[in-house]
Amino acid sequence: MAFAIKPWLGLLFFAAYAVYFWREIRGGGEHGDGEELAPLLLQRRRATPATWAVITQTLVTLAVIFVASQLFVHQLDTIGPMLGLPAAVTALLLSPIATELPEIMNAIIWVRQGKTSLALANISGAMMIQATVPSGLGLLFTPWRFDIVLLISGIATMIAIVYLLGLLGAGKFNAKTLTVAVVFYLAFAASLVPVLT
């Protein structure tokens, strides 16, 4: 299926992230209270780093992320044919692991250090940017026509969301019930076997 209003939806995704970003920046002071952050790498001996150092380190970090993401995408293009899978299917199966695992590890480290609010802010920010920016870019710059694989992926995601919202509503959101959500990912992966064969 193709949608005539698809480019406008892409812009809507960017607008949603802009609103989220603006609201977080405006109310961000309260989340940072009491959190002891490591010193800036460029100015380790200063408690409050200079603005130029913050901007420089941020830009260098973004450049490293950009280069690493390019490398990751090229590797997916190579791995897919080696496994006998289309690139889109390889991305659907492997990208969540590669993108979410670092966020989970950060959250675990920060929770163990007692920085719970920082861990939650990191996860919510990562989820928001991944839900809006890549989707907006895809809607703007790719045909993004639904095939059976994307449809199955969307259905599995919606079922998982309903399950998680049900846990939150029932007050049963804990490590054990959250772990059950991996079943939806495994079911999605298993459902691709008959489709691809």
Side-chain angles (χ1 to χ4, degrees):
M1 294 180 286
F3 304 96
I5 61 170
K6 183 171 71 69
W8 294 105
L9 291 176
L11 296 176
L12 184 64
F13 275 88
F14 288 124
Y17 182 72
V19 170
Y20 166 81
F21 181 81
W22 179 251
R23 292 185 64 178
E24 287 297 312
I25 290 296
R26 287 188 63 193
E30 61 196 50
H31 298 300
D33 292 344
E35 303 287 7
E36 273 191 40
L37 300 177
L40 198 70
L41 289 177
L42 294 179
Q43 293 184 331
R44 295 185 183 197
R45 297 182 181 179
R46 291 188 62 174
T48 305
T51 303
W52 69 264
V54 173
I55 293 172
T56 302
Q57 183 167 321
T58 302
L59 292 176
V60 169
T61 304
L62 289 173
V64 170
I65 291 171
F66 176 78
V67 171
S69 65
Q70 292 296 313
L71 179 63
F72 177 71
V73 169
H74 291 304
Q75 292 302 314
L76 282 181
D77 284 339
T78 304
I79 291 172
M82 288 172 57
L83 297 174
L85 297 173
V89 174
T90 310
L92 283 170
L93 289 173
L94 299 181
S95 291
I97 297 171
T99 56
E100 302 312 321
L101 196 56
E103 303 301 336
I104 293 170
M105 294 309 298
N106 283 340
I108 291 172
I109 291 169
W110 282 329
V111 168
R112 287 176 61 114
Q113 293 175 350
K115 302 174 182 177
T116 308
S117 63
L118 189 62
L120 291 174
N122 179 62
I123 290 175
S124 65
M127 294 296 98
M128 188 61 186
I129 196 169
Q130 290 178 26
T132 54
V133 175
S135 300
L137 291 172
L139 287 167
L140 285 172
F141 299 112
T142 68
W144 202 316
R145 292 187 175 90
F146 284 111
D147 59 8
I148 187 65
V149 172
L150 288 177
L151 188 61
I152 293 172
S153 170
I155 291 171
T157 301
M158 294 307 295
I159 293 172
I161 289 171
V162 169
Y163 168 73
L164 294 173
L165 288 175
L167 288 180
L168 285 170
K172 296 181 179 179
F173 196 84
N174 56 49
K176 289 182 180 177
T177 57
L178 186 58
T179 305
V180 175
V182 77
V183 171
F184 302 113
Y185 175 78
L186 296 175
F188 164 66
S191 68
L192 293 181
V193 175
V195 171
L196 296 174
T197 55

